[in-house]
Amino acid sequence: MEKRRVAILGSTGSIGTQALDVIRQHRDLFEVELLTANNSSDLLIRQAIEFEANNVVICNEAKYQEVADALQPHFIKTFAGMKSVCDLVTSDRIDIVLTSMVGFSGLESTMAAINAGKAIALANKETLVAAGELVMKRAAETGSLILPVDSEHSAIFQCLRGALGNRLERIHLTASGGPFRTWSKEDIAKATKAEALKHPNWNMGHKITIDSATMMNKGLEVIEARWLFNTPADKINVVVHPESIVHSMVEYADGAVIAQLGHPDMREPIQFALAYPERLTLDNRKLNFAELAKLTFFDADKEKFPCLGHAYTALERGGNMACIMNAANEAAVAAFLKDRIRFYDIADIIGECMEKADFIQCPSLEDIYATNRSAYALAEGLIDKTRK
Ligand code: MG
């Protein structure tokens, strides 16, 4: 593989740090051109020095001077603000952009990279949830290759390499079921923040961990799969698989199912995207099937996890509905993390927002930004009214 010049947007988060761990194991194959972070200045400085990054952006402008002063002796250029991310990501010196920032805020810089025709290692699923149709259309126009980093979508992408031109019949999207899989609805209703943050298999950031507990994460992934693989919602089946060994599966017309397996370790899909189509060595745990002995599968319970139903409804309605749903979810999860609302309030607030927000059948990108703002504000109003 020829050396690849990488930009990591959100380098101090869970995916960003694991991506740098992948790069640490193959320093000869990757050059770090750009690192960006919102607030974590200390870690950003350490990463920039270790990986000899050429450029760094700290989005929080109040922390610019601290980062600039620390990196100046190392001849690393420092910038501040989201506008700098959008400018720098278009540089000719970048081959691939890993989008690992959290939430809707990732859309603007992801679009800037797509407009510049960059290959995208897509870890920011909210980008496709909020604006999937527009994002995929633009990527097709600019020739921007979208490589999924989400473990399920990386699995589906890998399973599709063997399609030989045949259309897939169904996607089986696996879900761990989260920490409340075996809990009763009554107990889930009383779940605390600490209990919701205890994910059984994956070690992730707070937002996605709460999304896993509500199963909204799987809902977001259904929408992500719809756009990445151009597959209608009724051909995307969620199957609960508590061991998280089968990362997802693809079914063909003859009923043959191809699966991708591995221990849960995000570095594998990250590395697959960064080195695609090559496979590199990785110091991860390899599967021992006799030790695994058995794998289990269950239907998803939409009664216990209404957020999953919200996602299918959003796809059915189309237009800006998934953007409304995503904005309401971001507001509600932030409120839950601040102990302002109870667990099931998250789903209720999302449902109410989807009923009350202004629906647009064919939104432009500007409509999507406006929808995100207004739906977030609408959800905030509902949160104030329902606070526990
Ligand atoms: Mg996932």
Side-chain angles (χ1 to χ4, degrees), residues 131 134 210 227 252 356 372:
L134 295 164
I210 299 301
W227 297 116
Y252 292 97
K356 289 184 175 161
N372 180 63

Side-chain angles (χ1 to χ4, degrees), residues 191-356:
T192 64
K193 182 174 84 180
E195 287 163 335
L197 283 172
K198 268 188 220 137
H199 196 277
N201 303 348
W202 297 94
N203 184 9
M204 309 174 289
H206 277 186
K207 199 262 174 180
I208 186 173
T209 305
I210 299 301
D211 283 346
S212 296
T214 61
M215 286 197 80
M216 178 51 97
N217 183 53
K218 212 46 56 180
L220 299 176
E221 290 181 354
V222 168
I223 300 173
E224 187 185 8
R226 189 262 170 269
W227 297 116
L228 273 175
F229 307 112
N230 192 22
T231 300
D234 61 358
K235 293 196 167 190
I236 305 172
N237 172 44
V238 171
V239 53
V240 175
H241 167 48
E243 297 89 351
S244 296
I245 296 292
V246 175
H247 295 319
S248 276
M249 303 171 268
V250 164
E251 183 177 327
Y252 292 97
D254 56 0
V257 175
I258 314 281
Q260 189 260 328
L261 287 72
H263 285 291
D265 183 339
M266 282 309 293
R267 294 176 308 159
E268 195 254 284
I270 292 168
Q271 178 165 292
F272 185 79
L274 290 181
Y276 179 79
E278 277 191 40
R279 287 186 187 270
L280 311 177
T281 57
L282 184 65
D283 71 341
N284 56 354
R285 193 171 150 218
K286 308 300 191 260
L287 284 178
N288 177 329
F289 286 95
E291 214 170 76
L292 282 174
K294 70 170 185 183
L295 299 173
T296 57
F297 300 91
F298 305 89
D299 279 330
D301 187 339
K302 283 188 193 162
E303 180 79 30
K304 253 162 59 173
F305 300 103
C307 285
L308 195 52
H310 288 331
Y312 278 96
T313 304
L315 272 182
E316 222 170 84
R317 296 288 307 278
N320 64 342
M321 193 52 87
C323 179
I324 293 167
M325 181 198 78
N326 181 66
N329 182 54
E330 289 192 18
V333 169
F336 180 75
L337 284 170
K338 286 184 194 139
D339 283 318
R340 291 174 64 197
I341 55 172
R342 289 174 304 251
F343 189 77
Y344 275 127
D345 291 336
I346 299 174
D348 290 346
I349 286 163
I350 296 165
E352 205 173 333
C353 267
M354 289 170 72
E355 275 171 31
K356 289 184 175 161

Side-chain angles (χ1 to χ4, degrees), residues 117-183:
K118 300 297 174 196
I120 309 285
L122 187 97
N124 177 257
K125 66 188 78 176
E126 291 88 346
T127 300
L128 285 184
V129 172
E133 192 166 10
L134 295 164
V135 167
M136 294 309 286
K137 190 167 158 244
R138 189 70 188 131
E141 284 164 6
T142 65
S144 171
L145 179 65
I146 311 269
L147 297 155
V149 169
D150 211 345
S151 60
E152 295 80 359
H153 305 74
S154 175
I156 295 160
F157 184 79
Q158 293 180 53
C159 295
L160 285 171
R161 297 309 91 187
L164 304 172
N166 293 289
R167 268 199 68 82
L168 65 89
E169 187 60 33
R170 264 199 312 169
I171 287 171
H172 299 281
L173 193 70
T174 53
S176 71
F180 303 142
R181 182 179 64 85
T182 58
W183 290 35

Side-chain angles (χ1 to χ4, degrees), residues 2-30:
E2 223 173 282
K3 197 166 189 167
R4 279 191 192 163
R5 297 164 301 180
V6 183
I8 302 180
L9 311 188
S11 67
T12 57
S14 173
I15 296 290
T17 51
Q18 293 181 80
L20 287 170
D21 189 43
V22 161
I23 291 174
R24 192 180 282 118
Q25 295 180 38
H26 296 283
R27 286 296 289 267
D28 52 327
L29 294 178
F30 299 103

